[in-house]
Amino acid sequence: MASSPEHAAALDAADLLAHFRDRFVGAESDLVYFDGNSLGRPLRVTPERMVDFLQEEWGRGLIRSWDEGWYDAPLTLGDRIGVATLGAASGQTVVGDSTSVLLYKLLRAAVDRQVSLDPRRREIVVDHDNFPTDRYLVEGIAAERGLEVRWVSAPRDAGVGVDVLGEAVGEQTAVVLASHVAYQSGHLADAEAITALAHEHGALMVLDLCHSVGVVPLQLDRWGVDLAVGCTYKYLNGGPGSPAFGYVKRRLQGDLVQPLQGWMGHAAPFEMAPGYLPAEGMRRFLTGTPPIVAMQPIADMLDLIEEAGIDALREKSVALTSYAIELADELLSPYDVTVATPRDAASRGSHVLLCHPRMQEAVAGLWQRDVIPDFRNPDGLRVGLSPLSTSFAEVHRGIEAVASVLA
Ligand SMILES: *Cc1c(COP(=O)(O)O)cnc(C)c1O
């Protein structure tokens, strides 16, 4: 039976990535962590990196370190993220700001470019189930630019696909914004297909990768995605508030003017010249002094992803979500819990949404027992499964705990 602890132990014993779990702070405790999709665990090597950074680059190097790497860090770290996780050739990824701020900058630049090429493109397409910040930003930009929001709705476990978008996207569309993995249902969109659809109608595709980067293999260049943003504190384990990354397809970069014109995005910041002149390439998407301290931990997780291999990671992620669904069917369906995540693994990211009318209370009870999922309005418990730091035994203990609090 899937629900026996022996079965979980056998899955862990057969898991070639199991040993990576020891590389994370806190892995030795019995706590069940189902929120690596919201805030990844820190790596054990990261404290050493931080102390070293503080003593050497900052403490000894002081301001000289700007010339020795910090000034280029948004681009060099961006390139590393691009190559390790995005399927992006270098020169197309930048690191800085929060996801919300960077999404604003890229989305508005994309919208402005589209409207200037064809003023009849007056709509931004976004779905009702997208993450709040994405929806609010679209509303704000539409208001700022006198455009319309074209809302689309997708069934919770079906997500945004060509069928749903096909009815909304047309020659009036400036930009389509979609999350690659839906933050609630965990639905994984077919990024290549929806990008092709947007392009067929002359629209630009902006993808939010917050819940897919570092856990789903990405091929932004090959898929033809125009712009993308994502978090580094979820599956890239950068720590609370670590900066976002942004991707802009190379041949669009020169066409885009982002709205927050600060000195760090200037072609020659240290000339302190009158008048703004955007830098070439990805530097133009910067605004102010980059968050160098907060960038440090990200490199450790990129090392680990490269060591494990993103395809192996995806395989384990699918095994974990499949196992969580199997356990939910067996242990939680008697309590009328439903699984709101696609059952087809190819349409699923790395978290599973379990729904029950009393889930909010249940999550509070679980936190008291050191089982840490999160609650998503109105009735969802999210089981986030970070493949390098989550064991099958942990999934087993966690889902059993959900059953016992509901009982
Ligand atoms: C986590 C998340 C964000 C977070 O944005 P911040 O600016 O970092 O708070 C944005 N979009 C999606 C889809 C997310 O999952």
Side-chain angles (χ1 to χ4, degrees):
M1 279 218 311
S3 63
S4 76
E6 292 74 27
H7 183 58
L11 290 171
D12 279 321
D15 171 18
L16 297 174
L17 302 185
H19 64 281
F20 283 105
R21 188 173 142 82
D22 293 333
R23 309 270 191 102
F24 294 87
V25 173
E28 69 288 350
S29 85
D30 284 337
L31 179 135
V32 171
Y33 193 50
F34 280 164
D35 247 333
N37 62 326
S38 188
L39 178 65
R41 285 182 185 271
L43 281 152
R44 282 194 206 282
V45 293
T46 300
E48 198 183 321
R49 176 190 289 274
M50 296 308 285
V51 169
D52 191 59
F53 169 82
L54 199 145
Q55 287 178 334
E56 293 301 317
E57 283 188 40
W58 179 8
R60 186 193 48 77
L62 294 168
I63 195 176
R64 294 170 293 189
S65 290
W66 282 110
D67 294 333
E68 286 160 18
W70 292 351
Y71 180 67
D72 288 328
L75 306 174
T76 52
L77 181 60
D79 282 346
R80 265 217 76 194
I81 292 174
V83 171
T85 66
L86 303 179
S90 50
Q92 303 176 103
T93 310
V94 72
V95 175
D97 306 312
S98 65
T99 304
S100 301
V101 172
L102 196 51
L103 180 56
Y104 171 74
K105 288 156 74 168
L106 296 192
L107 192 58
R108 221 198 76 170
V111 166
D112 286 355
R113 182 244 188 205
Q114 291 291 87
V115 173
S116 74
L117 288 178
D118 182 353
R120 289 167 305 176
R121 293 194 182 274
R122 307 212 56 77
E123 292 185 359
I124 308 171
V125 175
V126 67
D127 65 293
H128 283 293
D129 288 331
N130 210 329
F131 190 78
T133 223
D134 300 58
R135 290 183 275 113
Y136 304 157
L137 284 166
V138 167
E139 289 176 333
I141 290 170
E144 217 172 35
R145 294 323 228 184
L147 306 176
E148 301 294 325
V149 183
R150 179 72 176 261
W151 292 102
V152 297
S153 293
R156 180 139 88 161
D157 58 353
V160 175
V162 167
D163 46 350
V164 172
L165 290 176
E167 290 170 23
V169 179
E171 58 190 17
Q172 75 290 352
T173 308
V175 172
V176 179
L177 170 64
S179 281
H180 191 207
V181 170
Y183 83 105
Q184 293 248 27
S185 71
H187 174 267
L188 172 63
D190 182 339
E192 187 170 19
I194 60 177
T195 300
L197 175 79
H199 290 174
E200 241 170 73
H201 298 278
L204 290 181
M205 184 73 215
V206 181
L207 264 193
D208 184 325
L209 305 172
C210 283
H211 281 282
S212 60
V213 66
V215 75
V216 175
L218 304 173
Q219 292 294 340
L220 299 187
D221 287 351
R222 192 160 60 71
W223 296 340
V225 173
D226 298 299
L227 303 97
V229 294
C231 289
T232 62
Y233 52 81
K234 293 174 178 170
Y235 298 108
L236 293 183
N237 303 58
S242 64
F245 65 85
Y247 164 93
V248 181
K249 179 192 273 186
R250 189 183 305 277
R251 84 181 142 71
L252 271 181
Q253 291 169 13
D255 291 358
L256 298 186
V257 182
Q258 62 101 346
L260 301 181
Q261 304 185 165
W263 72 307
M264 280 286 165
H266 192 280
F270 296 100
E271 287 180 13
M272 316 273 169
Y276 182 76
L277 178 68
E280 291 295 312
M282 290 306 288
R283 192 179 286 284
R284 67 174 50 198
F285 298 101
L286 294 179
T287 297
T289 302
I292 302 294
V293 180
M295 288 180 187
Q296 300 308 311
I298 301 167
D300 289 328
M301 191 59 184
L302 294 173
D303 289 345
L304 205 67
I305 289 172
E306 283 173 341
E307 190 184 335
I310 188 80
D311 293 326
L313 234 104
R314 170 66 178 162
E315 214 177 294
K316 170 134 185 224
S317 155
V318 167
L320 286 167
T321 52
S322 302
Y323 182 53
I325 291 172
E326 211 179 329
L327 288 175
D329 286 343
E330 210 172 300
L331 301 174
L332 304 181
S333 63
Y335 301 102
D336 298 323
V337 171
T338 55
V339 174
T341 299
R343 285 175 180 269
D344 172 13
S347 302
R348 190 163 77 218
S350 203
H351 66 268
V352 172
L353 185 69
L354 304 174
C355 298
H356 187 276
R358 298 185 62 186
M359 215 46 123
Q360 188 158 22
E361 276 169 75
V363 169
L366 288 164
W367 279 44
Q368 285 181 346
R369 298 169 174 227
D370 269 356
V371 174
I372 317 289
D374 62 18
F375 172 72
R376 284 294 174 265
N377 235 354
D379 61 352
L381 176 155
R382 265 194 333 183
V383 180
L385 299 164
S386 196
L388 295 181
S389 60
T390 312
S391 66
F392 291 92
E394 197 177 357
V395 177
H396 181 259
R397 284 204 311 280
I399 302 290
E400 262 194 338
V402 178
S404 75
V405 297
L406 287 172

